[in-house]
Amino acid sequence: MIYLKQFQIPSDLWVDWYFSPTPGGAPKDMPVEFIDIHADKSSYHNTWYPWKVFENRFLSFSENTIANIKCPKLSFSDITIFYGGNGSGKSTLLNVIAEKLHSHRTVLHNTSPFFDDYVQECMFVLNKELFIKGCDAPKSRIIVSDEVFKQLLTTRDNNFSINMRRRDLRQEQIDNRKAEFPKYIDTSDKEQIKMYRDLIDARKLNASQYINRRLRRTELEKSNGENGFQYFVESITDDSLILLDEPENSLSAMWQKELAVFIRGAVKEFRCQFIIATHSPFLLSIPEAKIYDLDATPIQESTWNKLESMRCYYDLFNNNKNLFE
């Protein structure tokens, strides 16, 4: 399901105009509603992020179409992937799209005093047939690796607290086994009823049964990868645009493979669209995925087997194939 059809970032001509000495002389291809934007280039600013990230990297998607040189447009499939090494801009591009579409997020992202101006000058095209009247953006969410790690740490803290409570409950059972039953119980008093039941359970149940009836189970039996994968599954809702920033950071190879299967299923069964920033071979090799190589100049579409890091994997295993035979 394709909700976002195209996205357009400011062209190099727009960047030059933005940082020109005066705010006049906007590029001819700039929409009228954007020409009032101009930078506050006060001396205390030490970054213009993200204005310079993609400069001179969208020379052309089509040498025959001057509009694509001036205004690079990214088109999207059901599954679109931004591939690139550190500093390639794949996470930046994902965050720019998320901000433009007002996507739900739970953690902060890199920004600067110029970020909002950059986002405002971006444009997008939606598949309007999929939205109700009056809706100007799809239901969308961005999930970043920091968010997943935060959840893993929260789970770990909860597990620690639960285990401390488990120890206390074991001592409680021992004490209740030694305690005498009261001669009288006020049935209208909930605390007395609870105390009486605890005395009975302490004698009737073994330690594991007594504790587990009073305490929810921990997630300790699950690995970080399994908990991370579960977080992705539980966070993805039907009929939505999902942006994933390097989801492999919290997943082993096995769970990356499972996530790739889940993403394909979510497209078909849950009517989701995915835009993913990644260098995971398991995600890049999804058959239906449309891949943009942000390491290339100009940035261009590619197939996963032609990407530089995939060649590194191939060489590694090819040079050691005798070890697998």
Side-chain angles (χ1 to χ4, degrees), residues 21-32:
T22 60
K28 293 181 180 179
D29 58 327
M30 175 175 284
V32 175

Side-chain angles (χ1 to χ4, degrees), residues 149-212:
F149 286 128
K150 180 181 178 182
Q151 178 62 31
L152 293 177
L153 291 175
T154 300
T155 300
R156 187 178 301 171
D157 289 342
N158 290 340
N159 287 341
F160 178 79
S161 298
I162 290 170
N163 281 332
M164 295 297 291
R165 176 61 177 152
R166 189 183 301 278
R167 184 186 64 183
D168 294 340
L169 285 171
R170 175 55 179 156
Q171 185 59 48
E172 176 186 295
Q173 184 188 25
I174 293 173
D175 294 341
N176 282 336
R177 281 180 173 177
K178 297 177 181 178
E180 294 184 0
F181 282 96
K183 294 180 180 179
Y184 171 78
I185 294 292
D186 182 357
T187 56
S188 64
D189 189 328
K190 293 182 180 180
E191 288 298 321
Q192 289 191 33
I193 293 175
K194 178 182 180 302
M195 178 191 68
Y196 187 75
R197 288 176 175 171
D198 287 344
L199 294 176
I200 294 176
D201 285 348
R203 291 162 170 79
K204 182 176 64 174
L205 303 176
N206 61 37
S208 178
Q209 292 171 332
Y210 182 88
I211 292 171
N212 288 334

Side-chain angles (χ1 to χ4, degrees), residues 317-318 320-325:
F317 290 111
N318 192 47
N320 294 278
K321 63 181 179 181
N322 61 301
L323 300 177
F324 295 88
E325 295 175 348

